[in-house]
Each structure stands twice: as C-alpha cells, then as structure tokens.
Amino acid sequence: MSTSFYNKFERHAHGEGLKGNSTHYCAGCGHGLAHKYLSDAISELGIQDDTVLVSPVGCSVFAYYYFDTGNTQAAHGRAPAVALGHKLANPNATVISYQGDGDLASIGLAETIAIAQLGNPITVIFINNAIYGMTGGQMAPTTLMGQPTSTSPDGRKQINGQPIKIAEQIAQLDGPVYVERVALFSPAERSRARKAIKKAVQLQKEGRGYAFIEVLAECPTHLKISPDKSEAWVKENMVPIFPLGVKKDLTVEPWWNIEPPLFDGGKFVGIIGATTDKTERNCKEFPAHLHPSDISLKLAGSGGDGAQTAAILIATAAINEGFDGTHIPSYGPESRGGTSYADVHVAKTEVLNPASPSPDILIAFNAPSLSKFGSTVAKNGFIVFDSSVSKEIEPSDSSIKVIGVPFTEIAAGLGKMVVKNIVGLGALAAATNIFPRETFLVAIKQALKDKVALIPLNEKAFDLGYDAAKENMKAKRY
C-alpha cells in the first residue's frame, strides 16, 4: 500500500542505504508507529497533496524529512496557532498539528486550549510519553507521580502537582467534536490507534470540526528499560492514570465552507482606510547613502511624545515612494514615563526583518531613550535627539553623527506640544536626507486628511526642525 512518506529519508547518509529508510527515533519509540498510522490515513483518504503537517520543537522536529506533504516548523508550543493560520489561509487544506507532551501540555497549553475551543477543523495528534524526550528527559506535565526524571530524580512529588489529563481537558470544551485516547502497547491497541487517527483526519476532510487524538507512547530511552518492558510500563502505569477510550464523539454535519482570504488589495479600499489615489513620487532613487538596500530606524520616547506616529509617517513615506516600509511598535509599562519605542525599516524591495536592534538612525525624544539606545546605533549612523530635554552623548563610534534639535522648545513656541514629533521628522530629513521634504509632507497631509486645518502648523513644525538640524550640522561641520 502506498504511503505519504518519502521513498527515502535524506536526513541520514543523504538517503543512501539502509539509513535512507530509517528515522531518528530511538528503538521502541512510539513516534514511529504514530507516524505510520498518520501516513496511512493521509494516503487512504487521498489528501497527500492537500495536507500540511505542523511539527514544532521536540522529538518530532524532523518530521518534514519523512512526510511527503506540506510541512511547517513551529516554535515550541505554537503548533496549534500555526495550524490555525494555515487552515484560515487555505480552508481546503488538511492541517495536522503533531506534538509531544512537553510541547503541547506545557509550553503550548494556552494555544492548545484556545484553538480547541474555537473548534475549527484541524487535527491534533498528541504523543504522550510522560516525559520531555528530546531535551533531556525532564519532568513533563504528564509525568506520573513518583516517576524519576532528570529534573525530579527522586520522582514526581505532591509539590509538583498531579499529571494533567489533556484528553479530558480538551473533551470538556465546546469546540472539539472528537477526542480519543489510544495506546500502542499491543496489536489490539495499535489497531484502535490507527482507526482513531484516520477518523480524526477524516472529520477534518469532511469539514465537521476539530479532532484530538492522545497517543500513549513508549520512551525506552528515558525509562531506561527495553522496548518490550516499556510497553508493559505504559500498560501497567500510564493507563490507570490516563484511561483509554473515546472522551467525546459528536455527530456534526459538515459546516466548514469558508472562503479563502482575499489578497487583492483593491478590494479593501474603503474598509481599512486604504485608497487607490496615486501619490507623486519625489525620490529619484533609493537613499542608498544610508544603506544599500534596507535602512533601519528606531524612534523612542515616553508616552505622548509621538514616536509611534512619527514612525508610521516614515513607513508611509517609504511606501508612497515605491519602497517597502514597516513599523513595529513596542508598548509596555515603560510608556508611562520611561521609554517606549518603534522599529522602522525602509527597504529598496522588501523588508526581511522588521526589528532594529542596531539601527542606522535613532530619533530620541527623551533622555532615557537616548541613554538606552544611543550605544546601539550602527557605524556611520545618525542620532537625532531632543536637546530641550537631553544632554548630548558621546557616540559609541566616531563615525556616528549626533544632531541635537530642541523638539520640545520649538513645539512650545508654536503653541502645540503635540507637533514635537513633526519637528523630529524635519530634523531627520535634514540630518540624513532619507527623503525629500515633499515626501514627508505628503505623508503628513495624508494623516491629517480629516484635520486639514492642522496641516500648516505641521508644515511649520517640520520646517523649523529641518532648519535647526541644518544649523547644528553646520556648527559641527558635518
């Protein structure tokens, strides 16, 4: 019978010889059988080309070497959220989240419960071997009372709490339609496991809802016993704590028929404030004097300084000019008077990483921000700061230009403190020549389309910031 495995597994010896058909799992490990039953189900249901398997950190991390399907790796514990993303992006796909007990029941418990309660048709295969397998045999949420592990050498004690019965937890939620716990320690139990896994996948194929299969699996390596003895251990020790059987099985008519998401930006015009109006471009070319392809900026200040708004305006200006622009805000308790910040990128074609840990340009609206981020600026970079509230700092490298402009003082002189961020943008334009003046003003006018009376004030603030930066640079002979 055909399966959805690759004909050879490239992980070992480049797929040559016997190793080309062997997995990385230890002898007697339950993952091998679970893989086999899942592969058979995918093939029997004829969904190989439509299947996406999500495997996170854990013993199953290399599943993509074995399953000839779509594959996605997820961060530890995040497989259900990634699976949901796949299902919503491609509603016709069969999406399977394959996870271990440390991953699903500990690190990813929040995602597990939340996605299960939603009830969208995805299939979760949960391998419960009562221990963290790949990372060193630590105590897992499913470790039995008295069971020794690397982090509980004297056995799990009362202070560690009781093992979590995940299948029962999932079954009591309203979202799932099918929940069953199976095992692998005998031919009869393997047959039940095979049927349960296929049913869980079939329910998704038919659009009936969320299905969850918990598989009690052997881990001879961390039990430190032989494979046959580990089968007996699962039967004698795990089954009394984790009773086998169906925990929930609802008869539900097929209901999953949602449309795939739209990727035509024109259809969103008017819904999210987008527009088809074309803006006049003022940049003759990408500002490669700052970076050949991707300029990183960090704007930082306290709450009310307008750093986030200024960041959005820079990203908007970049997009208006035909470049790529991103804005990643960072909010937190610091915004109540310390430093909150925004990372911005302006890329010639595409931003590949929106974070700015070492920015080419820093705009600091207060002293804590200047102190915190001043030393992170890259060589040949720029620091533009509010000299009304901060003292100038020595740059970490002599190639970095430091330009002080009294943002607050200028804004106060205009009678509107809220425009000090626009003063900062003017200073940025003068100091770096990242964009022409007109580019910034177009973005500002777009932002103020419903408050056109404020446009002259903002233009004045921009120009005063620009002129002040030019004076500072002239004095320093930059």
Side-chain angles (χ1 to χ4, degrees):
M1 184 185 71
S2 64
T3 71
S4 58
F5 287 134
Y6 286 112
N7 292 327
K8 62 180 182 178
F9 304 148
E10 297 287 347
R11 174 171 161 72
H12 299 293
H14 304 291
E16 300 299 328
L18 290 176
K19 289 187 175 181
N21 292 105
S22 63
T23 69
H24 67 290
Y25 299 120
C26 305
C29 171
H31 278 292
L33 282 174
H35 277 21
K36 175 66 164 62
Y37 301 150
L38 179 57
S39 173
D40 289 347
I42 292 169
S43 296
E44 291 169 13
L45 294 170
I47 55 174
Q48 181 176 355
D49 292 341
D50 300 321
T51 295
V52 178
L53 180 66
V54 184
S55 53
V57 177
C59 285
S60 63
V61 70
F62 297 120
Y64 57 84
Y65 279 103
Y66 312 134
F67 284 87
D68 187 9
T69 61
N71 287 278
T72 288
Q73 290 273 237
H76 213 173
R78 309 304 180 239
V82 173
L84 179 65
H86 274 293
K87 191 68 178 179
L88 295 176
N90 187 357
N92 294 323
T94 300
V95 185
I96 301 164
S97 179
Y98 186 100
Q99 301 176 256
D101 45 7
D103 177 86
L104 181 146
S106 179
I107 297 167
L109 186 59
E111 286 81 357
T112 296
I113 298 298
I115 303 306
Q117 177 66 352
L118 286 176
N120 293 320
I122 65 172
T123 304
V124 177
I125 309 298
F126 169 47
I127 306 301
N128 176 4
N129 54 21
I131 204 159
Y132 273 87
M134 184 191 75
T135 57
Q138 300 93 338
M139 182 175 65
T142 53
T143 297
L144 306 184
M145 299 303 294
Q147 180 183 344
T149 72
S150 63
T151 51
S152 59
D154 296 327
R156 183 172 190 156
K157 299 183 182 299
Q158 188 65 37
I159 194 172
N160 305 123
Q162 299 287 328
I164 299 178
K165 299 177 181 180
I166 293 295
E168 286 81 357
Q169 297 280 347
I170 298 297
Q172 71 178 344
L173 300 173
D174 294 327
V177 297
Y178 175 51
V179 181
E180 184 171 359
R181 182 184 288 123
V182 296
L184 306 169
F185 55 75
S186 71
E189 297 305 333
R190 291 168 194 159
S191 178
R192 293 187 184 95
R194 186 181 188 278
K195 292 176 181 178
I197 288 173
K198 181 178 179 180
K199 180 176 179 177
V201 177
Q202 184 168 356
L203 286 170
Q204 180 181 175
K205 179 187 177 186
E206 295 173 355
R208 297 181 188 272
Y210 175 100
F212 183 95
I213 304 300
E214 178 175 344
V215 182
L216 302 187
E218 293 74 26
C219 183
T221 297
H222 289 301
L223 288 173
K224 297 180 173 59
I225 55 179
S226 63
D228 59 335
K229 289 183 178 179
S230 68
E231 289 181 345
W233 186 88
V234 170
K235 180 179 180 180
E236 295 168 5
N237 294 278
M238 290 190 74
V239 172
I241 305 302
F242 302 110
L244 303 179
V246 176
K247 309 300 177 183
K248 186 175 187 178
D249 190 2
L250 302 181
T251 300
V252 178
E253 292 300 315
W255 62 273
W256 181 258
N257 58 356
I258 70 168
E259 294 294 323
L262 297 174
F263 295 95
D264 182 359
K267 295 188 180 293
F268 292 98
V269 174
I271 299 177
I272 57 174
T275 176
T276 57
D277 295 340
K278 293 184 178 180
T279 58
E280 183 178 347
R281 294 183 177 177
N282 298 286
C283 287
K284 296 181 179 179
E285 58 186 1
F286 182 77
H289 61 283
L290 298 173
H291 189 280
S293 60
D294 190 332
I295 304 162
S296 61
L297 304 93
K298 190 180 291 289
L299 294 85
S302 60
D305 281 340
Q308 302 298 341
T309 300
I312 293 172
L313 289 172
I314 295 170
T316 300
I319 293 169
N320 285 344
E321 291 291 350
F323 309 128
D324 193 16
T326 59
H327 158 237
I328 303 295
S330 176
Y331 300 104
E334 299 139 329
S335 63
R336 302 297 185 266
T339 56
S340 66
Y341 63 89
D343 286 352
V344 176
H345 274 255
V346 175
K348 188 173 184 178
T349 56
E350 182 179 3
V351 175
L352 300 179
N353 182 354
S356 301
S358 182
D360 299 304
I361 301 167
L362 169 67
I363 306 179
F365 290 92
N366 64 2
S369 299
L370 183 61
S371 175
K372 182 175 182 178
F373 298 115
S375 61
T376 68
V377 176
K379 291 183 179 181
N380 299 307
F382 295 81
I383 297 175
V384 181
F385 72 98
D386 186 350
S387 59
S388 301
V389 296
S390 303
K391 293 181 179 179
E392 186 162 323
I393 63 169
E394 282 294 322
S396 58
D397 187 90
S398 59
S399 66
I400 298 172
K401 295 180 174 64
V402 181
I403 299 97
V405 171
F407 304 166
T408 302
E409 182 182 323
I410 292 173
L414 292 171
K416 287 284 186 180
M417 293 296 292
V418 294
V419 296
K420 66 178 176 180
N421 60 340
I422 306 301
V423 176
L425 288 183
L428 166 70
T432 67
N433 290 316
I434 186 171
F435 299 131
R437 173 182 182 273
E438 292 76 13
T439 298
F440 282 105
L441 295 184
V442 167
I444 291 169
K445 289 175 181 177
Q446 288 175 329
L448 294 174
K449 66 182 188 325
D450 296 325
K451 300 178 181 179
V452 292
L454 295 176
I455 291 175
L457 173 66
N458 280 264
E459 290 180 337
K460 183 66 173 177
F462 183 92
D463 290 339
L464 289 174
Y466 187 97
D467 293 341
K470 283 294 186 183
E471 287 296 321
N472 183 284
M473 297 177 71
K474 182 178 179 181
K476 291 188 173 184
R477 297 182 180 179
Y478 283 156

